[in-house]
Each structure stands twice: as structure tokens, then as C-alpha cells.
Amino acid sequence: MLEVGIKAPDFELPDQNGELHKLSDYLGKKVILYFYPKDNTAGCTKQACGFSERYPQFTEKGAVILGVSKDSVASHKRFEEKQGLLFTLLSDTERKVIEAYDVWKEKKNYGKISMGVVRTTYLIDEQGIIIKSNDKVKAADDPENMLQELS
């Protein structure tokens, strides 16, 4: 996990519509950058729907939500449409950003060890500095916790 107080690494990734986004495009706004394991899984759906339900409150506070996983653009599009998501999902199939943000780690699931994305959320300020990071994210609680961080 990256340290609070450092400049967030810039990146360029395609969204669910194939349009490219750079983190630097969002200077002047707070960014909630969250990494999640997989589209259309229980925890990831809870987290995404929680962000989507609170989307108007995030925009009122001048914040942008960017969700990142290694799923494809097409997978993100299906996830967005199925769940009615209102924010940007970024596709990092090559794991460049996932690795730059130090969220590709060894995970244990039912005793089996494998590599994967550890659910992690970063709050980045208007100057591109990480002001909050959490790699102990509870999917259902993360959206409300992040909203409170903006208050």
C-alpha cells in the first residue's frame, strides 16, 4: 500500500466505454480511487452499488469516484449496465496501475494461496497527494466511510 502524504502515481486507463482517463485529468478535485478484485462478485457489487447510491453526495463534495480492476472494458460495461452504476470503472488488464499502487498481493482463500487484487481505497486530494489509504476495506462499509472522510 502506498503511503499517505506522497504524490499519487499518474496513470492512463480506459473506462467502461473505452475512453482514456488520466489521474492528472482530475487535479482540482478529490479522487476516491478504489481497487477491487472482480466485476459482478458479491463484495465488489456491494461496494460499487454503495458508491453509486451515494454518488450525488460525493459530487456535492467535489469528489470523483474511480473504480479499478483487471477486468476488461467489456466486463466493466456489463457490470455498469447490470448494476446501474453512475461512476467510472477503469480497466487495468496489464496490472500496471494495480502494481504501481501496490495492491497486487498474495491472498489466502480457503487455505489456498494465490495472487490477486487486495481491496484497497485511496483518497487523493486536489493536488494529487494521497491523504487517506485503507487496505482493510470492508466492501459494504467503504462507500459510507469514504463519504465521512470528505465531511
Side-chain angles (χ1 to χ4, degrees):
M1 186 170 65
L2 299 181
E3 299 288 314
V4 168
I6 68 163
K7 185 147 186 63
D10 200 9
F11 58 79
E12 183 175 67
L13 289 174
D15 69 10
Q16 65 268 37
N17 300 309
E19 293 170 27
L20 292 176
H21 292 255
K22 290 182 188 166
L23 183 61
S24 54
D25 293 341
Y26 298 100
L27 286 173
K29 292 185 174 206
K30 283 197 168 93
V31 175
I32 292 156
L33 181 66
Y34 84 95
F35 293 88
Y36 65 98
K38 191 155 180 48
D39 290 342
N40 286 306
T41 55
C44 298
T45 299
K46 270 188 193 134
Q47 188 177 21
C49 288
F51 276 122
S52 204
E53 286 161 16
R54 294 166 181 82
Y55 186 72
Q57 293 148 282
F58 282 107
T59 54
E60 265 174 35
K61 294 174 187 273
V64 174
I65 302 165
L66 302 174
V68 181
S69 81
K70 62 184 188 66
D71 293 301
S72 67
V73 167
S75 174
H76 280 349
K77 189 66 184 168
R78 287 190 299 274
F79 188 36
E80 174 203 37
E81 288 174 349
K82 183 176 179 186
Q83 303 302 333
L85 302 177
L86 302 173
F87 59 91
T88 303
L89 297 173
L90 299 174
S91 174
D92 187 16
T93 56
E94 295 175 11
R95 297 196 322 251
K96 286 185 176 141
V97 178
I98 287 166
E99 290 182 19
Y101 279 81
D102 197 28
V103 298
W104 185 253
K105 304 239 189 243
E106 202 172 81
K107 297 165 75 167
K108 266 189 193 162
N109 197 11
Y110 302 110
K112 188 177 153 225
I113 296 172
S114 63
M115 294 298 288
V117 173
V118 173
R119 192 181 308 279
T120 305
T121 303
Y122 290 99
L123 178 57
I124 301 166
D125 74 7
E126 295 85 348
Q127 287 78 46
I129 305 298
I130 296 171
I131 55 174
K132 176 96 177 131
S133 59
N134 181 10
D135 65 353
K136 305 272 189 279
V137 173
K138 286 194 169 72
D141 300 339
D142 193 38
E144 186 57 36
N145 292 344
M146 293 313 295
L147 197 55
Q148 296 310 312
E149 288 293 331
L150 295 172
S151 297

